[in-house]
Amino acid sequence: MSIERCCGNNKTMSGHFFLIAEKSKLYFTFQDQAEQFFRSGHTNNWAVLVCTSRFWFNYRHVANTLSVYRSVKRLGIPDSHIVLMLADDMACNPRNPKPATVFSHKNMELNVYGDDVEVDYRSYEVTVENFLRVLTGRIPPSTPRSKRLLSDDRSNILIYMTGHGGNGFLKFQDSEEITNVELADAFEQMWQKRRYNELLFIIDTCQGASMYERFYSPNIMALASSQVGEDSLSHQPDLEIGVHLMDRYTFYVLEFLEEIHPASQTNMNDLFQVCPKSLCVSTPGHRTDLFQRDPQNVLITDFFGSVRKVEITTGALALDRDVAALESKFPEEELATEPLKYAEQLPVAQIIHQKPKQKDWHPPGGFILGLWALIIMVFFKTYGIKHMKHVF
Amino acid sequence: MSLCSAPRPGRALRQRLSGLARPCPAAHPPAMGLLSDPQCRRALARLLLRLNTPLCVLSYLAGLTWFLLLPALAPRTYLSENAMGSTMVGEGSDLGPRALALARDFGAHKRKVGGMPVEWLEQTMFQLGLEVHRQPFSRTLPFPDEAHERYLVRGTNVFGVLRAPRAASTEALLLLVPGSEGSKNNQAVGLLLALAGYCRGQVYWAKDLIFLVTEHDLLGTQAWLEAYHDVNLTGIHSGGVPGRAGAIQAALALELSSDVLTSVDVAVEGLNGQVPNLDLLTLFHSFCLKSGLLCTFQGKLPPPEGPSGPGYAQSLRTMGLMVLGQAGGGPGGAHGLFLRFRIEALTLRGINSFRQHKFHLGALGRTLEGMFRKLNNLLERLHQSYFLYLLPSLSRFVSIGSYMPALGLLLLVLALRALDLWMRLSRSDEGEGDPPPEEARGGLLWLLPPILVSGGAGAALYLLPVRGQAVATQHFPVGEAEAVVLALIGIYVAGMALPHSTHRALSGGGQRGWMTLKLLALLALALLLTCLALLNFSLGFLLGATLVPPAAAVRPGGSRLPLAVLLVLTTPGLSLFLAVLLERELLEAPAGLGEAWQRFLGALGQGLLQEHLHGAHLSPLLCLGAYPCWLLLWNVLFWK
């Protein structure tokens, strides 16, 4: 865990801050923040964003996924840490009257396609198998880094899915579906392989709550757009583009996320309040019983943003509740001190220093020498040693 | 099993069983089937024999009632196709003035050239930015078409392709205007050109758009369709289609001859009673509701909602017209020819009546634009909704599952009668039964002449009028078209005299003879109607409704006159005449007998022409199927 701290030796600002820091209330606030600073035990962030629907009339699902992509990228997760799966290419669909755009708001207010979108799995690559392989890391060695989820036991992972679903399943591309049991088992595998520290699962689909009800692995928080038996509804019908641009739940989540900045102190409880039934028509659900921390203490940026442990303080903070006390909160840390044996996720060395592949079998050197000896022996036997005198 | 293997029951038991239909003894092992048990079977047979006539009457009436109830029980139509249902379009065009200007231009050039202004059309389409092609064709009709006054037909189709800007040319949509003589459909051509110009400016097309103007309406359409698909079904000579777009997913045909319109009539029934996928019609209907355009079906306004008397009558009339149109088997417009090529198509007819409220062409243009844009969103062929349905109005439909039982009940009558005859014949083998029919002399051999004669009469009816028109015109002072129709009627009537001749050649086989013959006739008729039920329900139902009662009732001996009258009234030829009368009645424009006769003659000629020009199946079906069956029944009636 690398922590940078810039303690306040800033001469120009010190007088100003000194006045404020005197007040005890603020002092505690600083202490709170400092505590929070250690609270989330993750060192890196990952996001897996999945749209499982094809076809033009499912424009909104692509826009949903791209809007989450836009938010996490804006909040600091780099493309290398985002696995984006889009089952169809709406920006280049010939039916799109505005080529190379995907809008989330009516009247072309917000183009979530943006300037650079790095799609890692596209069209027919978006399958249940590929999705599960990405999650569990069971991927062929030839897979490029951008298509891998290279997380470890200190990673916070955001998994966002959208598409058409039903009670207990989410449909992938009209041809297959993933069930809630399969998904729960995949998360358990991830946990056992130490592929995450905490996991936030969000799904926007009909009867979305059915997808998280089978989860049983620790440290998972889950949100869904609708309860079992409810449909998830679309939003933002646009006559010019000719389709619904977004689903209601993700639309309001996007509006919520647009207000977040990397230093926001907004917590998960605020996210749970997004899109009440009056706006969503469906009833969004969430599940926190598997999660260790109180959602109130979990920042939105713990999942949607990247780790940036940079904090400017003006004075030396008295971390009187010593490190031992803090560390007692994280029993995993003690585990981590033991020598761990990680599964080699990307065997780079092995790939680079591979021995050249053996060619076809060829006779060993000794055999060839022997053969020549035989030939020479036959030669001398035939022509006799007497001819040798011409040679010598 | 002991009962099954037991010797035949004694005379006492048989007498006890005969004459009363008792429920089977409850002691039977459950595994034994009802029909495999001889006692039960006998009892059932008794029951069927005794109650045959009431059952037949009941079944026939139930069939008719079922059919009449269909409009009252029809559910609402709904759009099944996701790609069209969950998307929306905003129509932005105002094509009215431009369409009118182009229509006037087209009309002027048409008058100047004295036919289709091919050069002008090509030039205009080229200027609009389309890829323009022409396709010449020629066709010699089997005999002159009096309704359209044509015999040697030569024409040119012009079409422009608007390539989808960002998609491969694998699929296409088509807008068609069947060009006609005079100033008919000029406005339709204007609207087509204006729409083409508008569509050229849009970037969202995922399918190619084909804008086609054909000459000689349906002949040109048929020629173009065959050339586009590179087949030759009807022996037309055509120059081939030089430019191709993708597989055509849907087509709209437009007929419009006025500058303003009061309503739009939509035609669905196509060649041989095929109808397009219901989604296409629902799409049109939804645009009617959206744009406030007054849309009619079969020229009928939508019936008032709710279970009311007038509403039901209106629905029934509309459905009756559709059934008659479908049974006729002709293409109900240029769209009818597309259905054979598995292209879903509709014809929209602009009507300008005396109504106060008029619409501009722009309103229809917006509807067309919207429909094309929705069809553009299709990802597969239209397949989600019904392909077999009847419509009591634009907003309600009767699916195949609802209407099939009506014909099934009619067919049950034939099956019951056939079973009855079969059991009576087989019982006479066992030597029991009330009147033992005398044994036939020549086995089944004497069944051959009536069957051969009936079949031969049918074949002659089918072949001779068209083949023999040259001979007829040489010997009689009539034109070719008249000769064909009159020969048709002549052979038809002459066929009715044949039974007497056959009996002179080989006098009959007595009671068994006519029973066997009637059994054969019933089976043939049932087979024909069963096949028709699947191919063209309307035709099957009309034939069933007319032919089943005489087929069930006919028998030689007794008072022949009422039966003969019934048979003559229900002969397919006379049914056709009555259908013409009924159609005028349903259109609320009743025709007198004279006018009806003229229409009937016209329908005969058109029926024959449609078989040769488009491959309609009505005339071969009637000549080779229904007519011989009816002749067999006629034979039974005059059996000696």
Side-chain angles (χ1 to χ4, degrees), chain A residues 171-283:
Chain A
K171 188 168 68 100
F172 270 64
Q173 305 216 25
D174 278 7
S175 54
E176 50 183 355
E177 66 263 326
I178 188 170
T179 63
N180 48 5
V181 178
E182 286 167 335
L183 196 61
D185 289 345
F187 288 161
E188 176 61 19
Q189 266 194 54
M190 287 174 78
W191 175 249
Q192 291 189 4
K193 291 179 81 180
R194 296 165 189 272
R195 285 174 66 77
Y196 70 82
N197 172 44
E198 285 168 339
L199 198 149
L200 176 64
F201 177 78
I202 303 182
I203 187 161
D204 188 345
T205 177
C206 295
Q207 317 202 29
S210 65
M211 284 306 282
Y212 62 59
E213 63 190 13
R214 298 298 176 102
F215 290 173
Y216 55 94
S217 314
N219 286 356
I220 297 182
M221 193 185 307
L223 288 97
S225 60
S226 54
Q227 297 297 324
V228 177
E230 277 183 342
D231 282 347
S232 242
L233 290 131
S234 55
H235 201 18
Q236 301 287 313
D238 187 289
L239 282 179
E240 193 177 348
I241 296 172
V243 283
H244 285 89
L245 299 184
M246 280 276 255
D247 280 321
R248 280 176 181 271
Y249 180 71
T250 311
F251 180 80
Y252 290 107
V253 168
L254 173 64
E255 288 211 324
F256 172 77
L257 290 176
E258 287 293 295
E259 301 296 319
I260 305 284
H261 53 87
S264 293
Q265 294 299 305
T266 324
N267 61 42
M268 280 297 162
N269 273 345
D270 300 322
L271 184 60
F272 296 156
Q273 305 306 320
V274 164
C275 202
K277 190 163 184 183
S278 55
L279 293 174
C280 247
V281 184
S282 59
T283 322

Side-chain angles (χ1 to χ4, degrees), chain B residues 7 73 101 106 125 138 205 219 290 339 342 357 366 372 395 416 434-435 443 492 533 542 544 626 632 637:
Chain B
L73 304 173
F106 176 76
M125 283 187 174
S138 69
W205 298 113
L219 278 181
K290 187 179 169 192
L339 300 173
R342 185 69 175 80
H357 191 65
R366 270 194 295 280
F372 272 115
S395 56
L416 281 174
D434 324 312
Y492 194 96
L542 288 188
L632 283 180
L637 180 65

Side-chain angles (χ1 to χ4, degrees), chain B residues 5 16 53 95 108 134 173 202 311 331 370 392 404 442 484 572 596 628 631 637:
Chain B
S5 56
R16 216 179 65 214
T53 313
L95 307 171
R134 69 163 77 174
L173 303 172
Q202 309 305 319
M404 214 41 134
V484 170
L631 272 186
L637 180 65

Side-chain angles (χ1 to χ4, degrees), chain B residues 144-166:
Chain B
D145 182 358
E146 289 206 317
H148 299 92
E149 294 178 353
R150 57 191 178 193
Y151 180 55
L152 279 167
V153 180
R154 204 175 284 277
T156 309
N157 299 325
V158 180
F159 65 102
V161 182
L162 163 53
R163 299 279 173 199
R166 285 181 286 141

Side-chain angles (χ1 to χ4, degrees), chain B residues 210-266:
Chain B
I210 305 176
F211 296 93
L212 168 66
V213 181
T214 63
E215 201 174 355
H216 300 295
D217 45 53
L218 296 193
L219 278 181
T221 312
Q222 181 79 34
W224 190 85
L225 270 172
E226 291 187 9
Y228 191 84
H229 295 99
D230 207 11
V231 290
N232 196 339
L233 304 167
T234 56
I236 207 160
H237 299 287
S238 81
V241 171
R244 232 169 269 269
I248 303 173
Q249 307 286 301
L252 293 178
L254 187 62
E255 294 178 16
L256 181 64
S257 310
S258 57
D259 288 356
V260 289
L261 50 132
T262 51
S263 59
V264 179
D265 192 51
V266 58

Side-chain angles (χ1 to χ4, degrees), chain A residues 57 93-96 240 242, chain B residues 88 166 204 373 376 378-379:
Chain A
F57 56 87
N93 193 303
R95 294 167 182 85
N96 193 342
E240 193 177 348
Chain B
M88 63 216 70
R166 285 181 286 141
Y204 45 67
R373 200 163 161 202
N376 182 48
L378 277 184
L379 299 149

Side-chain angles (χ1 to χ4, degrees), chain B residues 124-433:
Chain B
T124 313
M125 283 187 174
F126 185 76
Q127 280 166 1
L128 290 175
L130 305 184
E131 181 191 315
V132 191
H133 302 284
R134 69 163 77 174
Q135 183 229 351
F137 65 92
S138 69
R139 177 81 162 96
T140 310
L141 307 192
F143 56 92
D145 182 358
E146 289 206 317
H148 299 92
E149 294 178 353
R150 57 191 178 193
Y151 180 55
L152 279 167
V153 180
R154 204 175 284 277
T156 309
N157 299 325
V158 180
F159 65 102
V161 182
L162 163 53
R163 299 279 173 199
R166 285 181 286 141
S169 288
T170 50
E171 292 173 344
L173 303 172
L174 185 138
L175 180 63
L176 157 76
V177 172
S180 312
E181 306 295 317
S183 65
K184 207 180 151 207
N185 280 358
N186 282 0
Q187 279 79 356
V189 175
L191 190 53
L192 173 133
L193 291 174
L195 190 66
Y198 175 79
C199 292
R200 181 70 177 80
Q202 309 305 319
V203 294
Y204 45 67
W205 298 113
K207 304 178 198 305
D208 292 353
L209 297 185
I210 305 176
F211 296 93
L212 168 66
V213 181
T214 63
E215 201 174 355
H216 300 295
D217 45 53
L218 296 193
L219 278 181
T221 312
Q222 181 79 34
W224 190 85
L225 270 172
E226 291 187 9
Y228 191 84
H229 295 99
D230 207 11
V231 290
N232 196 339
L233 304 167
T234 56
I236 207 160
H237 299 287
S238 81
V241 171
R244 232 169 269 269
I248 303 173
Q249 307 286 301
L252 293 178
L254 187 62
E255 294 178 16
L256 181 64
S257 310
S258 57
D259 288 356
V260 289
L261 50 132
T262 51
S263 59
V264 179
D265 192 51
V266 58
V268 290
E269 65 273 21
L271 196 66
N272 296 324
Q274 274 183 290
V275 283
N277 193 279
L278 189 57
D279 267 343
L280 190 61
L281 191 79
T282 315
L283 179 68
F284 170 72
H285 185 55
S286 67
F287 273 101
C288 282
L289 295 180
K290 187 179 169 192
S291 64
L293 210 60
L294 183 64
C295 294
T296 58
F297 178 62
Q298 307 285 356
K300 298 278 182 202
L301 287 173
E305 281 301 315
S308 65
Y312 170 75
Q314 175 92 329
S315 306
L316 189 61
R317 240 181 258 135
T318 315
M319 197 175 87
L321 277 171
M322 181 176 177
V323 166
L324 285 178
Q326 235 187 336
H335 75 281
L337 304 176
F338 286 81
L339 300 173
R340 192 184 192 188
F341 294 86
R342 185 69 175 80
I343 300 169
E344 310 308 321
L346 287 180
T347 293
L348 309 182
R349 292 197 177 99
I351 309 280
N352 189 18
S353 69
F354 298 110
R355 258 170 208 285
Q356 290 286 320
H357 191 65
K358 309 270 185 194
F359 295 94
H360 292 288
L361 290 194
L364 186 55
R366 270 194 295 280
T367 303
L368 286 175
E369 183 206 336
M371 285 183 76
F372 272 115
R373 200 163 161 202
K374 279 265 196 178
L375 290 168
N376 182 48
N377 285 340
L378 277 184
L379 299 149
E380 300 163 276
R381 285 180 180 283
L382 283 167
H383 67 282
Q384 302 271 11
S385 195
Y386 295 87
F387 281 102
L388 300 159
Y389 55 85
L390 296 175
L391 295 168
S393 75
L394 263 184
S395 56
R396 292 184 178 274
F397 75 105
V398 180
S399 77
I400 180 170
S402 314
Y403 65 59
M404 214 41 134
L407 187 49
L409 285 169
L410 296 192
L411 287 172
L412 185 63
V413 176
L414 296 181
L416 281 174
R417 292 310 279 184
L419 207 59
D420 173 57
L421 281 174
W422 175 253
M423 284 191 300
R424 275 206 270 168
L425 281 170
S426 52
R427 193 174 53 175
S428 64
D429 280 345
E430 288 175 17
E432 62 176 277

